[in-house]
Amino acid sequence: MANQIAAGTELLAYVREFSLREDDILRELRRLTADLPGGEAMQVMAEEGQFLAFLVAATGVTDVLEIGTFTGYSTLCMARALPAHGKLVTCDITERWPDIGADYWRRAGVSERIDVRVGVATETLEHMLSDGLSNSFGLVFIDADKANYPRYYELALRLVKPGGLVVVDNTLFFGRVIDPAADDADTVGVREVNAMIRDDRRVDVSMLPMADGITLVRRR
């Protein structure tokens, strides 16, 4: 990208010093998650969590769908940004990880806004559509297994409201998307969804080189 500044360690530390507003509850959850097997790689950056909260607040959405909970850091960030009557549905394959986040959600006073759905995410989303929840969510955040990203994207577009946002995480996938030797299912899934979004005339798009790559999709 022409004229884009290179962000080294010192500059990123500067950004964190002058932008990040992570309180004790979020910090404790992030540090606990980092100590779990694969936790540091799987959880969102603190700055990304704050960015998601910013999007929720700035767009004024009241219904959020999250595909991939893990320990619920991003869940907490977005739930806090919702109005008191807002709702966040978050999907995970197991109760193990969301149960870790649940205590932090309670401490933050937002557990009543959060609805955890446990099961295969594609099935959960299909059930939502069968229950008449198409065009129901103002924002959908996709951050689950990458091999299924193309399917998650198509389902998300049916569940998000016209004018709503779909936020896709890890769209640069540790740089593997440009490595011709990387042909694992996760990398292939990310490449496929990136191409789908690029060519999708139903949406507006902006891919941000932030964190591990964040793509913002607005349903027209």
Side-chain angles (χ1 to χ4, degrees):
M1 299 181 186
N3 303 318
Q4 180 162 305
I5 191 169
T9 302
E10 292 183 0
L11 192 56
L12 288 173
Y14 179 91
V15 172
R16 175 163 287 195
E17 179 183 354
F18 286 93
S19 175
L20 184 61
R21 295 178 175 179
E22 184 183 50
D23 66 7
D24 290 342
I25 296 175
L26 285 169
R27 190 177 300 110
E28 287 177 29
L29 178 55
R30 178 167 59 85
R31 289 175 176 171
L32 181 152
T33 304
D35 289 335
L36 297 171
E40 194 164 6
M42 290 177 64
Q43 74 171 341
V44 301
M45 287 179 60
E47 287 83 356
E48 182 176 359
Q50 184 168 303
F51 178 63
L52 291 168
F54 184 94
L55 289 176
V56 171
T59 57
V61 302
T62 58
D63 296 276
V64 172
L65 171 62
E66 179 179 48
I67 306 170
T69 314
F70 195 36
T71 60
Y73 186 96
S74 54
T75 314
L76 176 52
C77 290
M78 292 187 289
R80 276 180 157 179
L82 285 168
H85 64 282
K87 292 295 181 183
L88 187 154
V89 177
T90 185
C91 309
D92 208 273
I93 191 65
T94 175
E95 296 178 351
R96 178 183 180 186
W97 307 122
D99 281 352
I100 292 174
D103 180 55
Y104 294 86
W105 304 339
R106 285 191 291 270
R107 287 172 55 191
V110 297
S111 59
E112 295 300 316
R113 303 176 191 173
I114 299 170
D115 176 7
V116 179
R117 308 283 179 93
V118 176
V120 177
T122 51
E123 295 177 3
T124 300
L125 302 179
E126 291 281 9
H127 288 154
M128 288 182 185
L129 291 168
S130 297
D131 290 341
L133 292 179
S134 59
N135 308 316
S136 291
F137 296 94
L139 186 148
V140 180
F141 178 48
I142 302 175
D143 185 22
D145 58 295
K146 314 311 171 195
N148 279 310
Y149 261 30
R151 185 65 179 145
Y152 295 148
Y153 173 70
E154 286 295 343
L155 291 167
L157 273 190
R158 295 170 62 189
L159 288 159
V160 75
K161 299 173 182 177
L165 288 179
V166 177
V167 182
V168 188
D169 198 20
N170 304 111
T171 48
L172 297 179
F173 203 45
F174 307 103
R176 294 177 65 83
V177 288
I178 61 171
D179 180 359
D183 59 358
D184 58 279
D186 287 336
T187 303
V188 171
V190 174
R191 287 194 191 114
E192 184 177 339
V193 82
N194 287 343
M196 290 170 63
I197 294 170
R198 177 196 62 194
D199 299 334
D200 192 347
R201 300 307 170 192
R202 299 170 294 176
V203 303
D204 301 312
V205 57
S206 180
M207 180 184 282
L208 306 179
M210 173 187 178
D212 191 32
I214 304 170
T215 298
L216 305 181
V217 178
R218 176 184 175 272
R219 180 182 168 190
R220 291 177 176 173

